Amino acid sequence: MRYFFLLIFFIFSCNSSNQSAITEQEVKDKFYEFFGVLSVDNPDKNKLYELVTDDYFIFENQKKYSMEEFIEFVSSFKTLEDNWELSDFEIDIDKNSAHASLRNVGKFLVETDSGNVIMDFDWLESAYLVRDGGELKFDFYFSDAIKETVTKVE
């Protein structure tokens, strides 16, 4: 019996993960990477798939979107310029996952049929990230616009 416990201990010791602990900076960097890929400066929105788990979804505008549906949604706007300011991060971390909440202030210059508009948003957001294949990826994202304005560009 003693050998059995030693064998179990040995097996678990050999299989222990050598992954480094998730850091707050790693979580923040993942958010900046996400919005960098989402930016109009990046034409290949399909790179977002590399940042999320296979079963990822986002709640945006009171609607649940898969990544495919979310890319279709954001691509439906003729955004000419965008800017996001992420702040007020609150991050909780365990060995293989992290939960973050933050404030996101976005400003967009958008072409519409009646002329260009500036859209300003203030969002409260949260996300759950997990280690997937050794990489930190978004598993769930929630975004709630607490303030939005649209101004016609003259």
Side-chain angles (χ1 to χ4, degrees), residues 34-69:
F34 184 90
F35 287 101
V37 172
L38 196 55
S39 174
V40 296
D41 295 333
N42 175 40
D44 186 8
K45 302 297 182 252
N46 286 326
K47 289 183 179 180
L48 287 167
Y49 288 105
E50 298 171 14
L51 304 177
V52 301
T53 60
D54 291 339
D55 59 349
Y56 167 87
F57 62 93
I58 181 171
F59 278 102
E60 174 88 25
N61 295 326
Q62 302 175 346
K63 184 176 181 217
K64 179 181 175 181
Y65 295 93
S66 66
M67 181 51 77
E68 180 180 0
E69 294 165 329

Side-chain angles (χ1 to χ4, degrees), residues 3 6 16 72 110 117 119 127 136 144:
Y3 294 111
L6 287 173
S16 66
E72 286 176 22
V110 179
V117 297
M119 301 174 76
L136 191 60
D144 188 23

Side-chain angles (χ1 to χ4, degrees), residues 69-134:
E69 294 165 329
F70 182 68
I71 291 172
E72 286 176 22
F73 169 69
V74 297
S75 297
S76 69
F77 296 94
K78 294 179 184 174
T79 305
L80 305 173
E81 296 177 16
D82 56 32
N83 183 55
W84 287 277
E85 292 181 24
L86 310 179
S87 64
D88 302 335
F89 282 91
E90 300 258 348
I91 301 171
D92 294 308
I93 299 170
D94 69 19
K95 184 174 180 173
N96 290 307
S97 66
H99 176 268
S101 59
L102 64 144
R103 181 173 179 216
N104 181 356
V105 177
K107 186 174 198 137
F108 310 90
L109 176 61
V110 179
E111 180 183 328
T112 69
D113 293 339
S114 59
N116 292 351
V117 297
I118 295 175
M119 301 174 76
D120 291 290
F121 290 91
D122 195 346
W123 289 285
L124 292 180
E125 301 184 325
S126 65
Y128 183 63
L129 299 90
V130 297
R131 286 232 191 255
D132 183 19

